[in-house]
Amino acid sequence: MVVIDPGHNGQNWAHPDEINRLVHIGTGTKACNTTGTAAADGYPEAQLNWVVAQLARDELIARGATVVMTREDNDGWGPCITERAATGNEANADAVISIHADGARSDGRGFHVIYPATIAGLTDDIAGPSLRLATELRAAMLVTGMPISDYTGADGFSERGDLGGLNRSDVPAVFLEMGNMKNAADIALLTDSEFQQRVAVGIADAVERFLTG
Ligand code: ZN
């Protein structure tokens, strides 16, 4: 059982009151959700995440996995980050992959994988396996053509203790930041259907190696 979490949602921008509502992420509070970033031409991250998430879902199903998505389309708002985490917890998922793309300075390139910091009583039970999942996902992303991030993290990894989707997860969970939507070379790749399929294959490869390794 794998949970694929396409970050944000296509109509979050139209529901500021709902998505700005504070939710508890274990270490404090945070907005229920955010609009996500966008390319220079306005192409929204929520749409990109949704496209890649569907490809990843299909690839995993083709390999025999059971897949649960945290949202069923790109036409609504939410769910809150806490509800997304609850989806993985209630499914007792073997792995949760949240799919995102970044909106960094335009000269920054590349992907990074985010794994949960070890927070006592919160993520100390999932930090180890999540890092192993992150390691598999980073390795799988190396063959997609997207370089490792040169603007954030360290060698393609970033440890975070401030993300509700990770803090509230009771099962192994990572975020994939596929690339920088503000960078011309990255966005050309990110919107290329063959690259998107390579990411989907990479996600499925990573999950498979994580579960069988
Ligand atoms: Zn995002």
Side-chain angles (χ1 to χ4, degrees):
M1 157 70 70
V2 181
V3 168
I4 297 292
D5 173 36
H8 317 283
N9 202 333
Q11 293 296 307
N12 277 4
W13 62 272
H15 296 268
D17 292 345
E18 290 92 337
I19 71 162
N20 288 326
R21 183 167 63 80
L22 294 178
V23 296
H24 293 277
I25 66 161
T27 51
T29 59
K30 210 161 181 183
C32 154
N33 212 284
T34 57
T35 59
T37 190
D41 69 357
Y43 183 72
E45 183 202 343
Q47 174 69 26
L48 173 64
N49 297 340
W50 175 240
V51 168
V52 175
Q54 290 174 96
L55 294 172
R57 174 196 62 195
D58 293 350
E59 181 66 25
L60 282 160
I61 288 173
R63 299 185 190 197
T66 303
V67 180
V68 172
M69 304 277 270
T70 58
R71 57 180 168 101
E72 290 306 316
D73 56 47
N74 194 47
D75 305 323
W77 67 271
C80 293
I81 51 179
T82 45
E83 295 168 67
R84 291 171 192 251
T87 297
N89 296 344
E90 285 160 15
N92 194 25
D94 297 302
V96 179
I97 311 266
S98 292
I99 299 177
H100 287 260
D102 215 350
R105 64 172 203 262
S106 63
D107 63 342
R109 283 209 67 185
F111 79 88
H112 64 288
V113 180
I114 301 171
Y115 61 89
T118 302
I119 303 170
L122 198 62
T123 57
D124 47 358
D125 53 341
I126 64 158
S130 297
L131 177 56
R132 198 161 66 76
L133 177 60
T135 302
E136 296 292 0
L137 186 54
R138 175 190 172 282
M141 282 297 293
L142 286 176
V143 296
T144 63
M146 183 66 77
I148 284 175
S149 175
D150 61 14
Y151 65 88
T152 192
D155 203 23
F157 292 113
S158 179
E159 179 182 282
R160 296 275 296 269
D162 63 323
L163 296 175
L166 299 181
N167 285 3
R168 293 290 299 270
S169 184
D170 298 321
V171 294
V174 297
F175 276 42
L176 171 60
E177 294 282 359
M178 298 181 284
N180 177 13
M181 296 187 76
K182 304 296 190 188
N183 176 277
D186 276 17
I187 194 63
L189 264 180
L190 289 166
T191 54
D192 178 272
S193 59
E194 291 180 10
F195 171 78
Q196 293 168 349
Q197 182 59 31
R198 291 198 294 275
V199 174
V201 167
I203 289 169
D205 283 348
V207 168
E208 199 169 327
R209 288 171 193 152
F210 172 69
L211 295 179
T212 59

